[in-house]
Amino acid sequence: ADEKLVQDRSKQRNLAMLRSWLAQNTERNAAISRRLTKAVAEGRTIYALSHSVEHVKTLSAMFPGSGLITGETPSEERLVELNKSKIVFATFGVATENYNRKDLDCLFMLTPLAADGYAEAPQLRQAIGRVQRAAEGKKTPEVIIFLDRNIDECRGLTYSVLNYLKSKNYPFRNS
């Protein structure tokens, strides 16, 4: 990451600014798009979450007809958006709300999220819970976490999520 783009006034890396920078990264978004396309081809029903409103809007535009839920989406329209497509893009902020779609079987975590011991841990549990609900004929749930290996903060946050999943005996694989 370009240090100046992700630093606050005190020259410290700012997680919100880093997430915003990641959301605007066209190479990264192209990789996400390829992985989403593969999951759709596998018949997955996808809940793709980011911390950035602009990020979910950008990605949703790449998948015409996809659902889109942000804090800007009126409450009465959110369930419609949740159920209208095989791919639903949402911000983590609204992802913890009471949305029940039993056929969701694939979670994409598009921006780094902190795990156990952090304020974001409930968001992580809620997001994973959305795809773990049992339903007849549902595929085995899958969680896709994007690891930005070259950015220390991203790598650390992702490893905290992987350690959390391991501690809770959630099945996962590194790829």
Side-chain angles (χ1 to χ4, degrees):
D2 183 340
E3 286 301 316
K4 292 178 184 170
L5 297 175
V6 298
Q7 288 178 345
D8 60 20
R9 291 181 188 157
S10 65
K11 306 280 188 219
Q12 297 297 309
R13 275 203 177 172
N14 178 290
L15 184 56
M17 293 171 79
L18 177 59
R19 286 173 174 157
S20 179
W21 179 85
L22 290 170
Q24 296 170 31
N25 185 304
T26 53
E27 277 184 39
R28 188 175 188 276
N29 285 338
I32 289 169
S33 176
R34 287 189 299 275
R35 186 60 183 93
L36 283 163
T37 300
K38 180 181 179 207
V40 169
E42 293 169 351
R44 292 285 182 176
T45 303
I46 302 160
Y47 203 28
L49 304 178
S50 174
H51 291 87
S52 166
V53 172
E54 291 308 312
H55 197 204
V56 293
K57 285 181 177 179
T58 297
L59 291 168
S60 179
M62 294 177 175
F63 293 87
S66 60
L68 176 64
I69 305 169
T70 70
E72 300 167 359
T73 309
S75 296
E76 62 275 7
E77 293 177 23
R78 291 179 182 184
L79 285 177
V80 172
E81 289 295 313
L82 180 67
N83 290 297
K84 81 183 231 182
S85 176
K86 295 291 276 181
I87 303 178
V88 179
F89 294 94
T91 54
F92 275 102
V94 296
T96 58
E97 295 180 12
N98 224 2
Y99 300 132
N100 295 316
R101 181 172 173 180
K102 291 181 180 179
D103 64 336
L104 288 173
D105 60 21
C106 189
L107 171 66
F108 274 67
M109 293 175 52
L110 305 172
T111 48
L113 181 73
D116 219 15
Y118 294 89
E120 292 179 332
Q123 288 181 335
L124 174 63
R125 287 190 296 274
Q126 286 284 333
I128 292 171
R130 298 286 173 238
V131 298
Q132 286 189 320
R133 288 189 174 88
E136 193 164 325
K138 182 174 172 174
K139 293 180 181 288
T140 301
E142 187 171 74
V143 177
I144 310 294
I145 302 169
F146 289 88
L147 171 58
D148 297 277
R149 286 184 173 88
N150 298 329
I151 302 170
D152 291 342
E153 289 85 349
C154 296
R155 191 174 53 249
L157 290 170
T158 301
Y159 288 147
S160 79
V161 169
L162 296 176
N163 288 333
Y164 173 80
L165 295 175
K166 187 175 183 178
S167 76
K168 300 298 181 189
N169 294 316
Y170 287 121
F172 71 92
R173 68 177 190 272
N174 290 330
S175 55

